[in-house]
Amino acid sequence: MNVVLVLDLLLLVVAAGLWVAAWPLRDARAGTPLLMAAVLATVGRAAVVVALGRAGWWFLPDRLVTAVPLTLLAVVAGIAVTRRRKPAVPVLIAAAYLAVAGLAVQLLVGYPVTAGGLVAVLGPGAAALLAWRLQARAARIAVVAAAAVALLAAGVTAAAGSRLPDRLHHHAEHGVSVADLRGPARPPTRTFTLTARAAVVTLPSGTTVDAWTFNGLLPGPELRVTQGDVVEVVLRNELPDTGVTLHWHGYDVPAGEDGVAGVTQDAVPPGGTFTYRFVAEDAGTYWYHSHELSSTAVRKGLYGTLVVDPAGTRPAETDLVLPVHRFDGGVTVLGGSDRRETRDVPAGRPVRLRLINTDNNAHRVAVSGTSYTVGAIDGRDLNGPASLTAETTLRLPAGGRYDVLFTMPAGAVHVMVDGRESEGLLLGAGAAPAHPDGTELDITRYGTPARGPFGRYDKDYTLVLDRLIRFLDGVPGYAYTVNGDVYPDIAPLLVDEGDAVRTTVVNRGTDSHPMHLHGHHVLVLSRNGRAVSGSPLWLDTFDVLPGEVWQVAFRADNPGIWLDHCHNLPHARQGMVLHVAYRGVTSPFAVGRRTPNHPE
Ligand code: C2O
Ligand code: CU
Protein backbone atom coordinates (compact mmCIF):
# COMPACT_ATOMS: atom_id res chain seq x y z
CA MET A 1 0.00 0.00 0.00
CA ASN A 2 2.81 2.34 0.85
CA VAL A 3 4.12 1.78 -2.69
CA VAL A 4 0.78 2.82 -4.19
CA LEU A 5 0.61 5.96 -2.03
CA VAL A 6 4.14 6.95 -2.95
CA LEU A 7 3.48 6.22 -6.63
CA ASP A 8 0.33 8.36 -6.44
CA LEU A 9 2.26 11.31 -5.03
CA LEU A 10 5.08 10.82 -7.52
CA LEU A 11 2.78 10.72 -10.56
CA LEU A 12 0.89 13.71 -9.21
CA VAL A 13 4.08 15.78 -9.05
CA VAL A 14 5.42 14.49 -12.37
CA ALA A 15 2.13 15.10 -14.20
CA ALA A 16 1.89 18.64 -12.79
CA GLY A 17 5.44 19.39 -13.94
CA LEU A 18 4.82 17.94 -17.42
CA TRP A 19 1.54 19.77 -18.01
CA VAL A 20 3.05 23.07 -16.89
CA ALA A 21 6.00 22.46 -19.20
CA ALA A 22 3.68 21.44 -22.06
CA TRP A 23 1.11 24.21 -22.28
CA PRO A 24 3.17 27.24 -23.38
CA LEU A 25 4.59 25.24 -26.27
CA ARG A 26 1.87 26.06 -28.70
CA ASP A 27 3.77 24.39 -31.47
CA ALA A 28 2.37 20.90 -31.17
CA ARG A 29 5.31 19.30 -32.88
CA ALA A 30 7.89 20.55 -30.39
CA GLY A 31 5.52 19.80 -27.55
CA THR A 32 4.50 16.33 -28.60
CA PRO A 33 6.87 14.15 -26.53
CA LEU A 34 6.24 16.31 -23.47
CA LEU A 35 2.55 16.24 -24.08
CA MET A 36 2.48 12.49 -24.55
CA ALA A 37 4.45 12.09 -21.31
CA ALA A 38 1.93 14.32 -19.52
CA VAL A 39 -0.97 12.30 -20.93
CA LEU A 40 0.65 9.01 -19.90
CA ALA A 41 1.47 10.25 -16.39
CA THR A 42 -2.12 11.43 -15.97
CA VAL A 43 -3.67 8.19 -17.20
CA GLY A 44 -1.20 6.26 -15.05
CA ARG A 45 -2.24 8.24 -12.01
CA ALA A 46 -5.89 7.62 -12.77
CA ALA A 47 -5.12 3.89 -12.58
CA VAL A 48 -3.31 4.39 -9.27
CA VAL A 49 -6.26 6.34 -7.87
CA VAL A 50 -8.58 3.48 -8.82
CA ALA A 51 -6.22 1.08 -7.01
CA LEU A 52 -6.25 3.35 -3.94
CA GLY A 53 -10.02 3.40 -3.95
CA ARG A 54 -10.05 -0.32 -3.30
CA ALA A 55 -8.79 0.42 0.22
CA GLY A 56 -11.84 2.56 0.94
CA TRP A 57 -13.71 5.71 0.01
CA TRP A 58 -11.54 7.83 2.35
CA PHE A 59 -8.76 7.77 -0.22
CA LEU A 60 -10.85 9.12 -3.09
CA PRO A 61 -12.87 12.35 -2.90
CA ASP A 62 -10.02 14.87 -2.90
CA ARG A 63 -8.27 12.98 -5.66
CA LEU A 64 -11.36 12.68 -7.84
CA VAL A 65 -12.03 16.42 -7.74
CA THR A 66 -9.13 17.11 -10.08
CA ALA A 67 -8.20 13.67 -11.41
CA VAL A 68 -11.51 13.13 -13.21
CA PRO A 69 -11.52 16.37 -15.26
CA LEU A 70 -7.76 16.17 -15.79
CA THR A 71 -7.98 12.63 -17.10
CA LEU A 72 -10.74 13.67 -19.52
CA LEU A 73 -8.60 16.56 -20.78
CA ALA A 74 -5.63 14.22 -21.08
CA VAL A 75 -7.68 11.88 -23.23
CA VAL A 76 -8.77 14.80 -25.45
CA ALA A 77 -5.16 15.97 -25.78
CA GLY A 78 -3.94 12.44 -26.36
CA ILE A 79 -6.44 11.85 -29.18
CA ALA A 80 -5.45 15.14 -30.83
CA VAL A 81 -1.76 14.31 -30.69
CA THR A 82 -2.20 10.80 -32.10
CA ARG A 83 -4.11 12.37 -34.99
CA ARG A 84 -1.15 14.71 -35.49
CA ARG A 85 -3.24 17.70 -34.55
CA LYS A 86 -2.50 20.43 -32.06
CA PRO A 87 -4.66 20.25 -28.93
CA ALA A 88 -6.65 23.42 -28.31
CA VAL A 89 -4.76 25.93 -26.17
CA PRO A 90 -7.57 26.19 -23.56
CA VAL A 91 -7.35 22.42 -23.10
CA LEU A 92 -3.64 22.67 -22.36
CA ILE A 93 -4.05 25.61 -20.00
CA ALA A 94 -6.92 23.97 -18.13
CA ALA A 95 -4.96 20.73 -17.84
CA ALA A 96 -1.92 22.54 -16.44
CA TYR A 97 -4.08 24.34 -13.92
CA LEU A 98 -5.91 21.19 -12.83
CA ALA A 99 -2.64 19.28 -12.54
CA VAL A 100 -1.21 21.90 -10.20
CA ALA A 101 -4.54 22.23 -8.38
CA GLY A 102 -4.48 18.46 -7.83
CA LEU A 103 -1.22 18.84 -5.97
CA ALA A 104 -2.64 21.72 -3.93
CA VAL A 105 -5.77 19.72 -3.06
CA GLN A 106 -3.61 16.84 -1.93
CA LEU A 107 -1.46 19.05 0.32
CA LEU A 108 -4.16 21.39 1.61
CA VAL A 109 -7.56 19.75 1.56
CA GLY A 110 -7.28 16.02 2.22
CA TYR A 111 -10.26 14.23 3.75
CA PRO A 112 -12.98 15.30 4.14
CA VAL A 113 -13.18 17.66 1.17
CA THR A 114 -14.46 20.98 2.50
CA ALA A 115 -16.09 23.76 0.50
CA GLY A 116 -13.55 26.24 1.89
CA GLY A 117 -10.65 24.08 0.78
CA LEU A 118 -12.08 23.70 -2.71
CA VAL A 119 -12.66 27.44 -3.07
CA ALA A 120 -9.10 28.15 -1.91
CA VAL A 121 -7.66 25.80 -4.52
CA LEU A 122 -10.01 26.25 -7.48
CA GLY A 123 -11.03 29.88 -6.81
CA PRO A 124 -7.88 31.42 -8.30
CA GLY A 125 -8.44 29.47 -11.51
CA ALA A 126 -12.02 30.64 -11.73
CA ALA A 127 -10.88 34.22 -11.07
CA ALA A 128 -8.22 33.96 -13.78
CA LEU A 129 -10.79 32.63 -16.24
CA LEU A 130 -13.13 35.47 -15.40
CA ALA A 131 -10.38 38.07 -15.73
CA TRP A 132 -9.40 36.63 -19.09
CA ARG A 133 -12.98 36.81 -20.45
CA LEU A 134 -13.67 40.31 -19.18
CA GLN A 135 -13.19 43.18 -21.62
CA ALA A 136 -12.76 46.17 -19.32
CA ARG A 137 -9.31 46.56 -17.82
CA ALA A 138 -10.73 47.91 -14.54
CA ALA A 139 -12.96 44.86 -14.17
CA ARG A 140 -10.03 42.53 -14.72
CA ILE A 141 -7.98 44.29 -12.07
CA ALA A 142 -10.91 44.17 -9.66
CA VAL A 143 -11.32 40.40 -10.10
CA VAL A 144 -7.62 39.67 -9.61
CA ALA A 145 -7.38 41.99 -6.60
CA ALA A 146 -10.49 40.53 -4.99
CA ALA A 147 -9.16 36.98 -5.41
CA ALA A 148 -5.77 37.94 -3.96
CA VAL A 149 -7.32 39.71 -0.98
CA ALA A 150 -9.65 36.79 -0.29
CA LEU A 151 -6.77 34.29 -0.36
CA LEU A 152 -4.63 36.45 1.89
CA ALA A 153 -7.49 36.99 4.33
CA ALA A 154 -8.18 33.25 4.48
CA GLY A 155 -4.49 32.58 5.17
CA VAL A 156 -4.24 35.21 7.90
CA THR A 157 -7.47 34.00 9.54
CA ALA A 158 -6.22 30.42 9.56
CA ALA A 159 -2.85 31.44 11.00
CA ALA A 160 -4.40 33.61 13.70
CA GLY A 161 -7.02 30.98 14.53
CA SER A 162 -4.31 28.37 15.08
CA ARG A 163 -2.47 30.44 17.69
CA LEU A 164 -2.76 28.86 21.12
CA PRO A 165 -4.67 31.14 23.45
CA ASP A 166 -3.25 32.10 26.84
CA ARG A 167 -5.25 29.35 28.51
CA LEU A 168 -7.17 26.63 26.74
CA HIS A 169 -9.47 24.55 28.91
CA HIS A 170 -10.85 21.21 27.94
CA HIS A 171 -14.56 20.59 28.10
CA ALA A 172 -15.15 22.94 30.98
CA GLU A 173 -18.87 22.44 31.50
CA HIS A 174 -20.09 21.24 34.88
CA GLY A 175 -19.26 17.81 36.09
CA VAL A 176 -16.64 15.73 37.80
CA SER A 177 -13.13 17.14 37.65
CA VAL A 178 -10.30 14.84 36.53
CA ALA A 179 -8.44 16.22 39.53
CA ASP A 180 -10.91 14.29 41.70
CA LEU A 181 -10.57 11.05 39.77
CA ARG A 182 -7.57 9.88 41.74
CA GLY A 183 -6.20 6.58 43.02
CA PRO A 184 -7.15 5.05 46.36
CA ALA A 185 -6.64 6.95 49.61
CA ARG A 186 -5.55 3.84 51.51
CA PRO A 187 -1.87 3.54 52.34
CA PRO A 188 0.45 2.20 49.68
CA THR A 189 2.01 -1.25 49.80
CA ARG A 190 4.86 -0.20 47.50
CA THR A 191 6.48 3.22 47.28
CA PHE A 192 9.03 4.59 44.86
CA THR A 193 10.65 7.95 44.32
CA LEU A 194 11.60 9.07 40.83
CA THR A 195 13.72 12.19 40.59
CA ALA A 196 14.04 13.84 37.21
CA ARG A 197 17.50 15.28 36.71
CA ALA A 198 19.98 16.02 33.98
CA ALA A 199 22.96 13.68 33.83
CA VAL A 200 25.70 12.66 31.45
CA VAL A 201 25.37 8.88 31.28
CA THR A 202 28.15 6.66 29.96
CA LEU A 203 26.81 3.63 28.07
CA PRO A 204 28.68 0.28 28.17
CA SER A 205 30.43 1.01 24.85
CA GLY A 206 31.87 4.21 26.33
CA THR A 207 29.51 6.49 24.39
CA THR A 208 28.11 9.26 26.54
CA VAL A 209 24.56 10.55 26.41
CA ASP A 210 23.63 14.03 27.54
CA ALA A 211 20.40 12.91 29.11
CA TRP A 212 17.41 13.80 31.19
CA THR A 213 17.02 10.90 33.59
CA PHE A 214 15.00 9.46 36.41
CA ASN A 215 17.38 8.89 39.33
CA GLY A 216 20.40 9.33 37.06
CA LEU A 217 19.66 6.08 35.21
CA LEU A 218 19.05 5.22 31.55
CA PRO A 219 16.45 3.81 31.36
CA GLY A 220 14.87 4.97 34.60
CA PRO A 221 14.41 2.46 37.45
CA GLU A 222 12.46 -0.71 36.70
CA LEU A 223 9.34 -0.52 38.86
CA ARG A 224 8.30 -4.07 39.63
CA VAL A 225 5.22 -4.69 41.74
CA THR A 226 2.70 -7.45 42.33
CA GLN A 227 -0.89 -7.49 41.17
CA GLY A 228 -3.02 -6.01 43.93
CA ASP A 229 -0.34 -3.69 45.28
CA VAL A 230 -1.23 -0.10 46.03
CA VAL A 231 1.60 1.66 44.25
CA GLU A 232 2.77 5.12 45.22
CA VAL A 233 5.32 6.98 43.16
CA VAL A 234 6.67 10.33 44.27
CA LEU A 235 7.93 12.39 41.35
CA ARG A 236 10.51 15.09 42.11
CA ASN A 237 11.76 17.51 39.53
CA GLU A 238 15.39 18.59 39.73
CA LEU A 239 15.72 19.51 36.06
CA PRO A 240 16.97 23.09 35.63
CA ASP A 241 14.11 24.51 33.59
CA THR A 242 11.69 21.92 32.28
CA GLY A 243 8.45 20.63 33.72
CA VAL A 244 7.93 16.89 34.20
CA THR A 245 5.05 14.44 34.68
CA LEU A 246 4.70 10.66 34.86
CA HIS A 247 2.40 8.92 32.41
CA TRP A 248 1.84 5.17 32.90
CA HIS A 249 1.90 4.02 29.31
CA GLY A 250 -0.60 1.22 28.77
CA TYR A 251 -1.59 1.13 32.43
CA ASP A 252 -5.25 2.00 32.78
CA VAL A 253 -5.04 4.13 35.94
CA PRO A 254 -7.73 6.60 37.12
CA ALA A 255 -7.71 9.75 34.98
CA GLY A 256 -6.21 11.97 37.68
CA GLU A 257 -3.13 9.72 37.82
CA ASP A 258 -2.55 9.70 34.05
CA GLY A 259 0.17 12.34 34.09
CA VAL A 260 -0.70 14.46 31.06
CA ALA A 261 0.38 18.08 31.49
CA GLY A 262 -2.51 20.44 30.91
CA VAL A 263 -5.14 17.70 30.90
CA THR A 264 -4.86 15.68 34.13
CA GLN A 265 -2.40 17.86 36.08
CA ASP A 266 -0.06 20.82 35.80
CA ALA A 267 3.47 19.90 34.81
CA VAL A 268 5.65 19.58 37.92
CA PRO A 269 7.95 22.61 37.87
CA PRO A 270 11.64 22.48 38.78
CA GLY A 271 11.80 21.99 42.54
CA GLY A 272 8.25 20.62 42.67
CA THR A 273 6.82 17.19 43.48
CA PHE A 274 3.70 15.20 42.64
CA THR A 275 2.53 11.93 44.16
CA TYR A 276 0.85 9.29 42.01
CA ARG A 277 -1.09 6.44 43.53
CA PHE A 278 -2.89 3.58 41.84
CA VAL A 279 -3.88 -0.03 42.39
CA ALA A 280 -1.91 -2.50 40.27
CA GLU A 281 -5.00 -4.29 39.00
CA ASP A 282 -3.60 -5.73 35.77
CA ALA A 283 -0.47 -7.86 35.44
CA GLY A 284 1.91 -7.40 32.54
CA THR A 285 4.56 -5.27 30.86
CA TYR A 286 4.21 -1.49 30.75
CA TRP A 287 6.36 1.61 30.82
CA TYR A 288 6.30 5.15 32.09
CA HIS A 289 7.46 8.45 30.69
CA SER A 290 7.08 12.19 31.09
CA HIS A 291 4.12 13.71 29.26
CA GLU A 292 5.33 17.30 29.34
CA LEU A 293 7.16 18.14 26.11
CA SER A 294 7.09 14.39 25.59
CA SER A 295 8.68 14.43 22.14
CA THR A 296 11.83 15.91 23.67
CA ALA A 297 11.64 14.44 27.17
CA VAL A 298 11.21 10.77 26.22
CA ARG A 299 13.94 10.88 23.61
CA LYS A 300 16.32 12.45 26.12
CA GLY A 301 15.72 9.69 28.63
CA LEU A 302 12.72 10.44 30.85
CA TYR A 303 11.35 6.91 30.60
CA GLY A 304 11.46 3.63 32.49
CA THR A 305 9.65 0.31 32.77
CA LEU A 306 6.76 -0.92 34.90
CA VAL A 307 6.18 -4.64 35.41
CA VAL A 308 3.27 -6.05 37.36
CA ASP A 309 3.77 -9.69 38.34
CA PRO A 310 0.65 -11.80 38.71
CA ALA A 311 -0.43 -12.45 42.29
CA GLY A 312 0.31 -15.88 43.73
CA THR A 313 3.32 -18.05 43.21
CA ARG A 314 4.89 -18.37 39.80
CA PRO A 315 7.65 -20.61 38.49
CA ALA A 316 11.22 -19.46 38.88
CA GLU A 317 11.90 -17.62 35.65
CA THR A 318 14.61 -15.61 34.06
CA ASP A 319 12.59 -12.48 33.50
CA LEU A 320 14.30 -9.65 31.62
CA VAL A 321 12.89 -6.26 30.76
CA LEU A 322 14.28 -4.99 27.46
CA PRO A 323 13.23 -1.53 26.38
CA VAL A 324 14.51 -0.51 22.95
CA HIS A 325 15.37 3.17 22.79
CA ARG A 326 17.18 5.57 20.52
CA PHE A 327 18.86 8.70 21.78
CA ASP A 328 19.75 11.87 19.89
CA GLY A 329 22.67 11.09 17.66
CA GLY A 330 21.21 7.70 16.78
CA VAL A 331 22.71 5.46 19.48
CA THR A 332 20.28 2.62 20.14
CA VAL A 333 20.11 0.69 23.40
CA LEU A 334 18.48 -2.62 24.30
CA GLY A 335 17.84 -2.48 28.03
CA GLY A 336 20.60 -0.16 29.16
CA SER A 337 23.25 -1.31 26.72
CA ASP A 338 24.46 -0.24 23.30
CA ARG A 339 26.64 -3.30 22.73
CA ARG A 340 26.24 -7.05 22.96
CA GLU A 341 25.39 -8.19 26.48
CA THR A 342 25.68 -11.79 27.61
CA ARG A 343 23.90 -13.56 30.39
CA ASP A 344 24.14 -17.08 31.77
CA VAL A 345 20.89 -18.96 31.80
CA PRO A 346 20.82 -22.69 32.65
CA ALA A 347 19.21 -25.00 30.10
CA GLY A 348 15.65 -25.91 31.02
CA ARG A 349 14.90 -22.59 32.72
CA PRO A 350 11.72 -20.75 31.66
CA VAL A 351 12.60 -17.38 30.17
CA ARG A 352 10.43 -14.30 29.71
CA LEU A 353 11.77 -11.39 27.69
CA ARG A 354 9.74 -8.22 27.96
CA LEU A 355 10.40 -6.26 24.78
CA ILE A 356 9.30 -2.64 25.01
CA ASN A 357 9.63 -0.03 22.30
CA THR A 358 10.19 3.36 23.91
CA ASP A 359 11.38 4.89 20.64
CA ASN A 360 9.42 6.84 18.00
CA ASN A 361 9.74 4.26 15.25
CA ALA A 362 9.03 0.57 14.97
CA HIS A 363 11.93 -1.83 15.57
CA ARG A 364 12.37 -5.33 14.20
CA VAL A 365 13.32 -7.94 16.78
CA ALA A 366 14.53 -11.45 15.94
CA VAL A 367 15.10 -14.32 18.39
CA SER A 368 17.33 -17.17 17.20
CA GLY A 369 18.53 -20.40 18.78
CA THR A 370 15.20 -21.45 20.20
CA SER A 371 11.56 -21.78 19.38
CA TYR A 372 9.41 -19.35 21.33
CA THR A 373 5.95 -17.90 21.69
CA VAL A 374 4.71 -14.34 21.99
CA GLY A 375 2.79 -14.81 25.21
CA ALA A 376 1.46 -11.29 25.63
CA ILE A 377 1.18 -8.05 23.70
CA ASP A 378 0.71 -4.68 25.41
CA GLY A 379 0.36 -6.38 28.80
CA ARG A 380 -2.49 -8.67 27.73
CA ASP A 381 -1.97 -12.45 27.44
CA LEU A 382 -2.67 -13.94 24.02
CA ASN A 383 -4.96 -16.92 23.58
CA GLY A 384 -3.20 -20.08 22.34
CA PRO A 385 -0.09 -18.49 20.82
CA ALA A 386 1.69 -20.91 18.47
CA SER A 387 5.37 -21.72 18.61
CA LEU A 388 7.61 -19.56 16.40
CA THR A 389 11.18 -19.87 15.18
CA ALA A 390 13.90 -17.46 14.07
CA GLU A 391 12.26 -17.47 10.63
CA THR A 392 9.63 -15.17 12.09
CA THR A 393 10.57 -11.65 13.14
CA LEU A 394 8.66 -9.31 15.39
CA ARG A 395 7.76 -5.77 14.42
CA LEU A 396 7.52 -3.87 17.65
CA PRO A 397 5.58 -0.64 17.14
CA ALA A 398 6.51 2.57 18.95
CA GLY A 399 5.12 2.36 22.48
CA GLY A 400 4.23 -1.36 22.12
CA ARG A 401 5.32 -4.38 24.17
CA TYR A 402 5.75 -8.07 23.32
CA ASP A 403 6.46 -10.74 25.95
CA VAL A 404 8.61 -13.49 24.40
CA LEU A 405 8.52 -16.88 26.20
CA PHE A 406 10.68 -19.96 25.82
CA THR A 407 12.45 -22.66 27.75
CA MET A 408 16.20 -22.20 27.66
CA PRO A 409 17.73 -24.74 25.24
CA ALA A 410 21.18 -26.32 25.61
CA GLY A 411 22.76 -23.84 23.18
CA ALA A 412 22.76 -20.06 23.12
CA VAL A 413 19.87 -17.76 22.25
CA HIS A 414 20.39 -14.41 20.57
CA VAL A 415 18.02 -11.43 20.59
CA MET A 416 18.75 -9.08 17.72
CA VAL A 417 17.34 -5.63 17.03
CA ASP A 418 17.10 -4.24 13.47
CA GLY A 419 19.52 -6.78 12.05
CA ARG A 420 22.51 -5.70 14.14
CA GLU A 421 23.97 -9.14 14.70
CA SER A 422 27.02 -8.00 16.68
CA GLU A 423 24.86 -6.31 19.34
CA GLY A 424 21.75 -7.45 21.15
CA LEU A 425 21.49 -9.94 23.99
CA LEU A 426 23.16 -13.36 24.08
CA LEU A 427 21.71 -15.83 26.58
CA GLY A 428 23.35 -19.09 27.65
CA ALA A 429 26.56 -20.71 26.59
CA GLY A 430 28.13 -21.45 23.25
CA ALA A 431 28.39 -19.75 19.88
CA ALA A 432 25.78 -17.19 18.89
CA PRO A 433 23.18 -18.85 16.65
CA ALA A 434 22.76 -17.47 13.14
CA HIS A 435 19.75 -15.42 12.08
CA PRO A 436 18.02 -16.65 8.93
CA ASP A 437 16.02 -14.20 6.83
CA GLY A 438 12.72 -13.85 8.56
CA THR A 439 9.20 -12.84 7.66
CA GLU A 440 7.20 -10.65 9.96
CA LEU A 441 4.66 -12.07 12.38
CA ASP A 442 1.12 -10.98 11.52
CA ILE A 443 -0.34 -10.50 14.98
CA THR A 444 -3.88 -10.36 13.58
CA ARG A 445 -3.56 -14.04 12.59
CA TYR A 446 -1.56 -15.32 15.55
CA GLY A 447 -3.07 -17.55 18.25
CA THR A 448 -6.54 -18.95 18.71
CA PRO A 449 -9.77 -16.96 18.41
CA ALA A 450 -12.11 -16.47 21.35
CA ARG A 451 -15.45 -14.74 21.61
CA GLY A 452 -15.23 -10.98 21.99
CA PRO A 453 -17.28 -8.93 24.46
CA PHE A 454 -18.88 -6.55 21.97
CA GLY A 455 -22.22 -7.20 20.30
CA ARG A 456 -23.38 -3.74 19.30
CA TYR A 457 -21.81 -0.33 19.45
CA ASP A 458 -23.13 2.83 21.08
CA LYS A 459 -20.71 5.13 19.29
CA ASP A 460 -19.01 4.83 15.94
CA TYR A 461 -16.15 7.17 15.06
CA THR A 462 -13.74 7.51 12.17
CA LEU A 463 -10.26 8.97 12.41
CA VAL A 464 -8.61 9.74 9.09
CA LEU A 465 -4.87 10.29 9.54
CA ASP A 466 -3.00 12.37 6.98
CA ARG A 467 -0.25 14.84 6.37
CA LEU A 468 -1.40 18.29 5.25
CA ILE A 469 -0.18 21.86 5.25
CA ARG A 470 -1.66 23.46 8.36
CA PHE A 471 -0.89 26.25 10.76
CA LEU A 472 0.42 25.02 14.12
CA ASP A 473 0.27 27.73 16.74
CA GLY A 474 0.47 30.38 14.02
CA VAL A 475 3.29 28.78 12.05
CA PRO A 476 2.62 27.01 8.74
CA GLY A 477 4.00 23.51 8.44
CA TYR A 478 3.57 20.10 6.85
CA ALA A 479 1.58 18.84 9.82
CA TYR A 480 0.11 15.51 10.90
CA THR A 481 -3.68 15.72 10.82
CA VAL A 482 -6.71 13.79 12.01
CA ASN A 483 -9.91 14.38 10.01
CA GLY A 484 -8.17 17.37 8.41
CA ASP A 485 -7.39 19.16 11.68
CA VAL A 486 -4.47 19.46 14.08
CA TYR A 487 -4.30 19.67 17.87
CA PRO A 488 -6.04 21.35 19.67
CA ASP A 489 -8.77 21.63 17.03
CA ILE A 490 -9.45 17.95 16.34
CA ALA A 491 -12.99 17.16 17.47
CA PRO A 492 -12.84 14.91 20.56
CA LEU A 493 -14.49 11.51 20.64
CA LEU A 494 -17.32 12.09 23.08
CA VAL A 495 -18.38 9.03 25.04
CA ASP A 496 -20.68 8.16 27.92
CA GLU A 497 -19.62 5.80 30.64
CA GLY A 498 -20.49 2.23 29.67
CA ASP A 499 -20.49 2.88 25.91
CA ALA A 500 -19.12 0.34 23.50
CA VAL A 501 -17.15 2.55 21.14
CA ARG A 502 -16.05 1.47 17.69
CA THR A 503 -13.39 3.47 15.87
CA THR A 504 -12.22 3.15 12.29
CA VAL A 505 -8.70 4.49 11.80
CA VAL A 506 -7.60 5.22 8.24
CA ASN A 507 -4.06 6.18 7.29
CA ARG A 508 -4.01 8.24 4.10
CA GLY A 509 -0.39 9.28 4.54
CA THR A 510 2.95 7.72 3.73
CA ASP A 511 4.17 7.49 7.37
CA SER A 512 3.06 4.82 9.82
CA HIS A 513 1.16 6.02 12.87
CA PRO A 514 1.36 4.00 16.11
CA MET A 515 -1.90 5.20 17.63
CA HIS A 516 -2.05 5.16 21.42
CA LEU A 517 -5.18 5.56 23.51
CA HIS A 518 -4.71 6.45 27.16
CA GLY A 519 -6.69 4.78 29.93
CA HIS A 520 -8.10 1.91 27.85
CA HIS A 521 -7.12 -1.11 25.83
CA VAL A 522 -8.78 -1.49 22.46
CA LEU A 523 -9.83 -4.78 20.92
CA VAL A 524 -8.74 -5.01 17.29
CA LEU A 525 -11.72 -6.00 15.12
CA SER A 526 -10.22 -5.91 11.64
CA ARG A 527 -7.35 -4.66 9.55
CA ASN A 528 -7.92 -3.67 5.92
CA GLY A 529 -11.39 -5.15 6.06
CA ARG A 530 -10.18 -8.58 7.19
CA ALA A 531 -11.38 -9.62 10.64
CA VAL A 532 -8.78 -10.67 13.21
CA SER A 533 -8.54 -14.45 12.88
CA GLY A 534 -6.07 -15.16 15.70
CA SER A 535 -6.16 -14.52 19.43
CA PRO A 536 -8.23 -11.56 20.62
CA LEU A 537 -5.83 -8.62 20.46
CA TRP A 538 -6.16 -6.05 23.23
CA LEU A 539 -3.73 -3.26 22.45
CA ASP A 540 -3.02 0.19 23.76
CA THR A 541 -0.81 1.06 20.80
CA PHE A 542 -1.56 -0.17 17.27
CA ASP A 543 0.53 0.69 14.27
CA VAL A 544 -1.50 1.92 11.32
CA LEU A 545 0.74 1.58 8.28
CA PRO A 546 0.36 3.77 5.19
CA GLY A 547 -2.88 2.97 3.41
CA GLU A 548 -4.17 0.75 6.20
CA VAL A 549 -7.62 0.79 7.74
CA TRP A 550 -7.99 -0.58 11.29
CA GLN A 551 -11.20 -1.08 13.11
CA VAL A 552 -10.96 -1.26 16.91
CA ALA A 553 -13.38 -1.14 19.81
CA PHE A 554 -13.21 -0.27 23.47
CA ARG A 555 -15.49 -0.12 26.46
CA ALA A 556 -15.78 3.33 28.01
CA ASP A 557 -15.18 2.10 31.54
CA ASN A 558 -12.66 4.60 32.90
CA PRO A 559 -14.16 8.10 33.14
CA GLY A 560 -11.82 10.94 32.30
CA ILE A 561 -10.39 13.08 29.57
CA TRP A 562 -7.89 10.94 27.75
CA LEU A 563 -5.30 11.56 25.12
CA ASP A 564 -5.49 9.59 21.90
CA HIS A 565 -2.40 10.27 19.81
CA CYS A 566 0.32 9.04 17.56
CA HIS A 567 3.22 7.65 19.58
CA ASN A 568 5.72 8.74 17.03
CA LEU A 569 5.98 11.70 19.37
CA PRO A 570 7.27 14.24 16.81
CA HIS A 571 4.05 13.47 14.88
CA ALA A 572 2.06 14.21 18.04
CA ARG A 573 3.95 17.45 18.45
CA GLN A 574 3.07 18.34 14.85
CA GLY A 575 -0.64 17.97 15.41
CA MET A 576 -1.68 14.32 15.72
CA VAL A 577 -3.35 14.48 19.15
CA LEU A 578 -7.00 14.38 20.13
CA HIS A 579 -9.05 13.55 23.21
CA VAL A 580 -11.49 10.87 24.17
CA ALA A 581 -13.76 12.83 26.50
CA TYR A 582 -16.38 11.39 28.82
CA ARG A 583 -19.50 13.47 29.05
CA GLY A 584 -19.67 15.08 32.47
CA VAL A 585 -15.93 15.06 33.13
CA THR A 586 -14.08 18.36 33.22
CA SER A 587 -10.50 19.45 33.68
CA PRO A 588 -9.34 22.44 35.69
CA PHE A 589 -6.00 22.31 33.87
CA ALA A 590 -5.15 24.14 30.70
CA VAL A 591 -2.61 24.32 27.92
CA GLY A 592 -1.58 27.59 26.28
CA ARG A 593 0.87 30.43 26.39
CA ARG A 594 0.29 31.38 30.02
CA THR A 595 0.41 27.85 31.42
CA PRO A 596 3.30 25.57 32.33
CA ASN A 597 1.82 22.83 30.13
CA HIS A 598 2.94 21.59 26.72
CA PRO A 599 1.90 17.92 26.71
CA GLU A 600 3.81 17.07 23.52
CU1 C2O B 1 3.20 6.86 25.95
CU2 C2O B 1 0.41 9.83 25.52
O1 C2O B 1 1.81 8.34 25.76
CU1 CU C 1 2.36 9.30 13.48
Side-chain angles (χ1 to χ4, degrees), residues 461-486:
Y461 288 111
T462 301
L463 301 176
V464 178
L465 315 177
D466 207 346
R467 196 160 189 204
L468 297 168
I469 292 174
R470 287 292 180 271
F471 288 99
L472 279 165
D473 197 11
V475 183
Y478 197 21
Y480 290 95
T481 58
V482 180
N483 297 341
D485 286 320
V486 290

Side-chain angles (χ1 to χ4, degrees), residues 465 480 511-515 566-572 576:
L465 315 177
Y480 290 95
D511 303 83
S512 73
H513 297 298
M515 295 305 287
C566 178
H567 221 282
N568 185 324
L569 297 173
H571 293 185
M576 202 169 262

Side-chain angles (χ1 to χ4, degrees), residues 390-478:
E391 252 109 63
T392 301
T393 59
L394 307 175
R395 184 178 192 277
L396 196 58
R401 288 91 60 210
Y402 285 5
D403 283 20
V404 165
L405 311 178
F406 56 90
T407 302
M408 193 64 201
V413 171
H414 185 242
V415 182
M416 173 175 79
V417 179
D418 299 330
R420 286 191 303 274
E421 213 149 1
S422 60
E423 297 172 22
L425 175 67
L426 187 64
L427 302 174
H435 285 276
D437 286 336
T439 53
E440 219 166 74
L441 176 69
D442 180 351
I443 58 172
T444 67
R445 296 178 174 202
Y446 181 60
T448 316
R451 225 182 124 77
F454 300 108
R456 55 177 191 89
Y457 299 95
D458 304 292
K459 301 273 176 4
D460 223 325
Y461 288 111
T462 301
L463 301 176
V464 178
L465 315 177
D466 207 346
R467 196 160 189 204
L468 297 168
I469 292 174
R470 287 292 180 271
F471 288 99
L472 279 165
D473 197 11
V475 183
Y478 197 21

